[in-house]
Amino acid sequence: MPKFLEMTGISKQFGGVRALSDVDLDIAAGEVHCLAGENGSGKSTLIKIISGVQPPEPGGRIMIDGHEVSGLTPAESIRRGIQVIYQDLSLFPNLTVAENIAVERHHGLHAVNWSAIRDTAQAAMQRVGVSIDPQSFVADLSIAQRQLVAICRAIANDARLVIMDEPTASLTRHEVDALLALTLELKRRGVAVVFVSHRLDEVLEIAERVTVLRNGEKKGTFEARDMTDRRLVELMTGKSFNYELSETDLSAAPVVLAVRNLSRAGDYDDISFEVKAGEILGITGRLGSGRTELALSLFGMSPPDHGEIRIKDRPLQLSSNREAIANGIAYVSEDRLSLGLIMEQPISSNIALPVLERLRGPFGLVQAGRWRETVRRWIADLGIKVSDPENPVRTLSGGNQQRVVLAKWLATEPSLLILDSPTVGVDIGAKDGIYQIVRDLAASGLAVIMISDEIPEVLYHADRILIMQEGRIAGEYLPHQVTEAALRQAVDA
Amino acid sequence: MRNALRRFGRTHEARLLLVTVALMIFLSFATKNFFTIQNALDLLTSYAFPGMMAAGLVVVLVAGGLDISFTAVASIAQYLAVLAANHYGIGWLGLFGIALAVGTALGLLNALLVTGLRIASIIVTIAMLNVYYGLLMFVTGGDTINSLPDWFANGLSWVVAFDSHQNPYILNMQMIGLVLAFIMTWLLLNRTSVGRQLRALGGNPEAAKRVGFNVLRLNMVAYGYMGFMAGLASLVQAQVAQTVMPNALVGRELDVLAAVVLGGASLFGGVGTVLGTILGLALLAILQNGLILLGVASFWTECFTGIVFLVAVSTIAWERRRQRLAIRRVIGTAA
Ligand SMILES: Nc1ncnc2c1ncn2[C@@H]1O[C@H](COP(=O)(O)OP(=O)(O)OP(=O)(O)O)[C@@H](O)[C@H]1O
Ligand SMILES: [Mg+2]
């Protein structure tokens, strides 16, 4: 097959961080290619270079269709048929769906041709097989819909190579399947697709070749056919992982959270359970089963209609999340980008601001030493890969941003930690890091509720598992008394 | 059609319209002179200057920037243009040519600084306000130009009708300028690709760069247009005032900003419409006018303006928060 894109000797340095060193990559026309690597291994950086957003260091060469291009700009890259769907989707929330899809028609200096914009958008949506009101604003769409808009935009530009940076991180299984089908459809039309994902099963499902990066270096390009999960993980991390079922004796531990007959109309109904100090309670269930709503209620964000919440045997009426925090409850939400982080602010402030009160010394002034110490400690404890804690959070890779969110909450020293899909968008090595952290936290007496879509996650890392269905608790399991298949069946029942 | 109406009903503009109309009805009954054509014409004339400035400023806000320096830009433009008109026999064309060129040039300088320095535009333009104003005061020594060329002092106006007491209804260059300014802004924002690029830039600057929009060029359009409007408005104002004082305009920035923000434009960029700006301006004008007609002491007017501004900004902020929460709920159920 002819090569659409060939890159050789690509390097990139940001301040003190070597994001890429001497990486080669080639993509054939109509190929589905996967980029794999841990958080911060340089995947997004490589993509930014392909799309002309970042220039490579001198010595790097980029050939498109066999012709060398130098000084690639975003406009030039798009003109050559390269379309990127970024981790943050890069849509314009204040423009309509049609304008976002046909944004190329806004280039230049001319009168706006609204009917051409509508036609372009309609045609692209038809080809992709989606229907979204072209006149609605992107700000009003769900994440999955926004993703479709981003894909339609790529298609509308006659893309020959579509690059998707972690497209599935915030999608449900069903939506992921639709996306994978769409990818194959693109391939059938001769469009090459580069896919970045941390869900290895889906990578191996559709990719023909896999390129593995580790710490900015290329570990090789492999046929997906010959690849296994295990080998891929080893290539990415240099380590191998074996999870064991957990069995902790909690009989003597005090109850931290007790929920009795909690109900909220339309969301969940008659929920009762307990979490002990040191226990990790896994909650799983399908989309809309009420798990996130339950978590929000426990965190004071949407009050229940009936029932009782007790923390350490004190009844609690939460009317705001501030109260929840004051009562030792921390909630790490599933969408890390819109909740929780101030992207333009330094990493250090993001971690330390929520606990400013505790860093005060005499005269109520914040003590710089304690501030630095807090920041240093959490960066070290969570293994956040930073060159300088004073850099804005924006400069961190996606997975490292996730850890900053976690650090921020842990700094509040909670007694109950609620994690909603804590490892979405996190690579396998970092996942392990997060599991390890959660276990250590539990071992130190923290009660943890871990909500997850991924059955193995709760099976291997929780002490007890609740399954929610249509707002009710449909079953309770102990990890060593149940199999993954049985759990999956219970969830889907 | 019905759909479009329903959509409009949910917008900030619809609510603003409601408040404005309610206020108008109240003032029509509460005062003798509010609901007269003459009062409306007077309002149009005296609010032409802030209105035209608002038409420029909304473009900057939509593009995600902020310009505070426009009153100083207008002061320089009007001073230079009128000075030239007094000394050389330039006509209307020359006069406007100079004011527009000076205004646009200073606007472009703002754009270069904002883009090049990568410092928040509010800080850059506050600094530039002081630089421009200081230079003007230094060079002119604060001297007022009292004599305008006759043709300019007489202005352009047409009597279009008479009321029952034979008082003329006059259409003047202030009204034409105001209407022209809003039409131009509307065309720019809604009918040109550059206008849409500006809105895109304000909505998501990172994405705008990624799709290859030229940020420097867009900022030059936005701040240059603001400067252009400042030049245009400066002459309209000089004609009403019949003098040119170097310190007459500086200090009126916040009135203009208030009208634009009242109209729904966001200080975070990407949001703002011409209709909203017109309504924001109208509400401010009617409110200030109404208080005067009601016989309220003038310092209360400012206090009141401040309160209305605060209420407007907080309702907008509250709306946004509700929307964000709604979106979050959607995201919550999707993942
Ligand atoms: N603008 C920047 N300034 C400073 N450092 C940066 C910048 N962009 C990226 N980096 C650093 O470069 C490294 C590679 O980041 P990159 O975003 O490419 O990782 P990634 O493989 O996409 O990770 P993830 O899976 O977490 O998204 C990281 O250490 C990151 O902190
Ligand atoms: Mg990335």
Side-chain angles (χ1 to χ4, degrees):
Chain A
M1 236 188 278
K3 295 288 177 225
F4 172 68
L5 174 76
E6 278 184 89
M7 307 169 81
T8 49
I10 303 292
S11 302
K12 185 79 194 174
Q13 178 119 13
F14 292 108
V17 179
R18 190 139 262 318
L20 289 174
S21 42
D22 198 19
V23 170
D24 302 345
L25 179 72
D26 64 87
I27 310 287
E31 160 181 23
V32 181
H33 195 108
C34 186
L35 267 184
E38 290 186 281
N39 292 130
S41 58
K43 305 179 296 293
S44 297
T45 305
L46 188 59
I47 289 170
K48 284 181 189 148
I49 288 172
I50 300 176
S51 62
V53 172
Q54 302 269 13
E57 277 164 22
R61 295 177 60 193
I62 303 176
M63 317 250 283
I64 298 176
D65 279 330
H67 301 288
E68 175 151 4
V69 285
S70 53
L72 193 66
T73 62
E76 174 72 6
S77 165
I78 289 169
R79 211 176 55 71
R80 303 266 185 164
I82 296 173
Q83 282 288 323
V84 182
I85 299 171
Y86 289 93
Q87 247 165 323
D88 61 11
L89 300 183
S90 277
L91 296 174
F92 302 104
N94 57 335
L95 300 188
T96 62
V97 167
E99 279 187 280
N100 267 284
I101 295 176
V103 73
E104 277 302 296
R105 288 192 173 272
H106 281 329
H107 268 289
L109 253 182
H110 51 78
V112 180
N113 185 344
W114 287 103
S115 66
I117 285 175
R118 234 180 347 263
D119 292 346
T120 307
Q122 294 286 17
M125 287 202 276
Q126 215 151 40
R127 260 194 284 169
V128 178
V130 302
S131 61
I132 300 173
D133 176 8
Q135 290 308 99
S136 56
F137 287 96
V138 165
D140 299 330
L141 303 183
S142 71
I143 292 278
Q145 281 176 313
R146 291 183 198 200
Q147 195 138 43
L148 292 174
V149 171
I151 292 171
C152 289
R153 175 165 80 186
I155 298 302
N157 285 314
D158 293 324
R160 299 189 46 213
L161 168 63
V162 176
I163 303 173
M164 303 192 206
D165 196 353
E166 282 191 50
T168 59
S170 38
L171 299 188
T172 61
R173 185 67 226 181
H174 181 72
E175 288 161 344
V176 170
D177 287 341
L179 185 69
L180 297 185
L182 194 60
T183 305
L184 294 178
E185 172 65 23
L186 290 179
K187 174 185 168 56
R188 220 175 42 79
R189 293 170 182 275
V191 179
V193 179
V194 169
F195 214 82
V196 176
S197 172
H198 290 299
R199 299 192 184 177
L200 300 180
D201 50 337
E202 75 198 17
V203 167
L204 297 176
E205 209 170 295
I206 60 164
E208 284 149 71
R209 292 192 301 159
V210 186
T211 294
V212 180
L213 295 179
R214 188 200 303 171
N215 279 333
E217 284 173 28
K218 177 169 161 171
K219 287 286 142 194
T221 296
F222 309 90
E223 294 290 323
R225 240 181 295 125
D226 311 331
M227 189 52 94
T228 62
D229 279 20
R230 194 163 288 258
R231 170 121 188 279
L232 197 52
V233 170
E234 273 179 32
L235 282 166
M236 280 162 54
T237 62
K239 291 179 270 186
S240 56
F241 298 94
N242 262 318
Y243 290 128
E244 313 228 321
L245 295 175
S246 92
E247 207 168 348
T248 321
D249 182 19
L250 293 163
S251 50
V255 171
V256 172
L257 171 78
V259 173
R260 295 264 168 280
N261 309 105
L262 212 62
S263 300
R264 183 179 155 91
D267 285 340
Y268 52 84
D269 190 26
D270 198 21
I271 304 284
S272 304
F273 65 85
E274 288 179 349
V275 192
K276 291 180 169 176
E279 182 177 33
I280 303 174
L281 175 70
I283 300 183
T284 183
R286 268 197 298 195
L287 157 73
S289 62
R291 10 169 258 227
T292 294
E293 290 74 9
L294 177 64
L296 286 176
S297 289
L298 293 177
F299 191 54
M301 305 245 295
S302 61
D305 303 331
H306 303 288
E308 191 187 34
I309 302 172
R310 298 175 85 89
I311 288 274
K312 295 185 175 160
D313 226 25
R314 273 179 300 117
L316 214 56
Q317 293 280 355
L318 296 172
S319 56
S320 73
N321 50 0
R322 292 193 74 89
E323 269 177 61
I325 295 167
N327 281 290
I329 303 175
Y331 174 61
V332 182
S333 69
E334 56 194 333
D335 79 59
R336 60 177 184 236
L337 292 182
S338 63
L339 292 174
L341 285 184
I342 309 167
M343 297 306 246
E344 295 303 322
Q345 291 281 323
I347 298 156
S348 62
S349 324
N350 270 284
I351 296 175
L353 276 180
V355 290
L356 211 51
E357 291 294 323
R358 296 179 198 181
L359 305 178
R360 294 231 176 126
F363 312 116
L365 297 177
V366 171
Q367 293 189 310
R370 269 154 90 177
W371 168 287
R372 270 197 304 274
E373 177 53 29
T374 305
V375 171
R376 196 201 54 74
R377 171 172 161 220
W378 288 112
I379 287 179
D381 276 12
L382 299 191
I384 305 173
K385 196 177 167 191
V386 296
S387 49
D388 180 351
E390 296 313 314
N391 283 344
V393 165
R394 174 173 54 74
T395 63
L396 288 182
S397 76
N400 278 308
Q401 289 175 11
Q402 184 102 326
R403 295 189 204 192
V404 174
V405 179
L406 202 57
K408 173 185 140 173
W409 285 107
L410 291 177
T412 68
E413 293 172 14
S415 51
L416 171 66
L417 175 66
I418 305 173
L419 299 165
D420 201 344
S421 314
T423 61
V424 163
V426 174
D427 69 65
I428 178 100
K431 263 186 187 165
D432 183 67
I434 289 180
Y435 296 141
Q436 206 54 54
I437 292 163
V438 172
R439 278 173 189 250
D440 291 350
L441 288 169
S444 72
L446 196 69
V448 180
I449 296 180
M450 181 157 76
I451 299 174
S452 178
D453 249 349
E454 293 178 43
I455 305 243
E457 186 159 291
V458 288
L459 181 64
Y460 288 104
H461 304 288
D463 300 309
R464 195 153 52 92
I465 302 160
L466 295 182
I467 290 184
M468 283 189 71
Q469 249 172 34
E470 293 174 10
R472 291 174 156 274
I473 291 180
E476 178 175 337
Y477 304 86
L478 294 175
H480 49 271
Q481 293 171 0
V482 69
T483 64
E484 188 175 333
L487 270 182
R488 199 172 294 281
Q489 213 167 20
V491 167
D492 289 334
Chain B
M1 185 62 215
R2 172 142 2 109
N3 238 334
L5 256 179
R6 194 170 314 145
R7 213 171 265 188
F8 178 72
R10 280 197 297 260
T11 58
H12 176 75
E13 283 83 351
R15 243 159 298 171
L16 209 55
L17 187 63
L18 207 71
V19 176
T20 311
V21 169
L23 191 66
M24 283 169 84
I25 293 175
F26 167 73
L27 287 174
S28 304
F29 286 104
T31 70
K32 191 158 81 346
N33 289 328
F34 178 76
F35 198 66
T36 60
I37 296 179
Q38 204 60 60
N39 190 42
L41 294 180
D42 286 351
L43 277 182
L44 278 178
T45 308
S46 51
Y47 282 88
F49 172 72
M52 293 169 77
M53 294 296 216
L57 185 58
V58 71
V59 174
V60 179
L61 283 184
V62 161
L66 186 59
D67 190 348
I68 301 290
S69 71
F70 54 85
T71 49
V73 170
S75 297
I76 294 179
Q78 85 183 162
Y79 207 94
L80 288 181
V82 171
L83 205 63
N86 272 340
H87 286 274
Y88 310 99
I90 53 170
W92 284 107
L93 231 69
L95 182 75
F96 273 93
I98 291 175
L100 294 180
V102 170
T104 310
L106 296 183
L108 292 179
L109 180 58
N110 283 342
L112 287 177
L113 290 175
V114 167
T115 321
L117 296 179
R118 297 175 189 221
I119 301 174
S121 51
I122 180 168
I123 293 172
V124 174
T125 56
I126 285 179
M128 289 316 281
L129 169 77
N130 290 304
V131 171
Y132 292 150
Y133 183 55
L135 277 177
L136 180 67
M137 291 308 273
F138 173 71
V139 171
T140 65
D143 290 342
T144 302
I145 305 178
N146 282 313
S147 65
L148 307 183
D150 284 342
W151 47 269
F152 181 58
N154 294 334
L156 296 175
S157 57
W158 298 267
V159 175
V160 282
F162 292 92
D163 68 6
S164 49
H165 304 287
Q166 294 304 304
N167 294 322
Y169 289 143
I170 288 174
L171 174 71
N172 56 28
M173 63 186 267
Q174 281 71 28
M175 303 172 193
I176 295 175
L178 182 62
V179 173
L180 206 68
F182 280 122
I183 291 179
M184 275 167 35
T185 300
W186 187 85
L187 286 174
L188 173 65
L189 285 183
N190 298 297
R191 283 288 180 265
T192 68
S193 58
V194 174
R196 302 317 288 177
Q197 289 181 38
L198 289 171
R199 196 172 284 275
L201 175 67
N204 189 345
E206 196 57 40
K209 267 178 243 163
R210 286 176 184 166
V211 297
F213 293 157
N214 185 325
V215 176
L216 174 62
R217 206 176 322 157
L218 288 177
N219 275 340
M220 299 209 1
V221 171
Y223 290 89
Y225 184 77
M226 172 82 250
F228 177 88
M229 276 297 161
L232 196 62
S234 74
L235 290 182
V236 161
Q237 190 275 340
Q239 205 278 329
V240 178
Q242 294 285 317
T243 61
V244 173
M245 282 195 280
N247 59 354
L249 305 178
V250 171
R252 294 179 66 181
E253 308 80 37
L254 287 184
D255 243 16
V256 176
L257 187 60
V260 178
V261 172
L262 204 60
S266 163
L267 293 173
F268 298 111
V271 184
T273 62
V274 169
L275 179 62
T277 307
I278 293 176
L279 288 171
L281 180 74
L283 186 56
L284 204 68
I286 291 169
L287 195 83
Q288 292 176 345
N289 178 242
L291 288 172
I292 292 169
L293 293 180
L294 286 169
V296 177
S298 67
F299 47 80
W300 280 116
T301 315
E302 287 183 21
C303 180
F304 232 79
T305 311
I307 293 174
V308 169
F309 181 59
L310 211 60
V311 170
V313 173
S314 35
T315 45
I316 292 170
W318 182 75
E319 267 168 39
R320 296 259 153 76
R321 206 168 63 210
R322 229 186 27 179
Q323 281 168 1
R324 260 208 307 275
L325 275 181
I327 292 170
R328 211 174 279 174
R329 216 164 298 133
V330 173
I331 295 170
T333 48

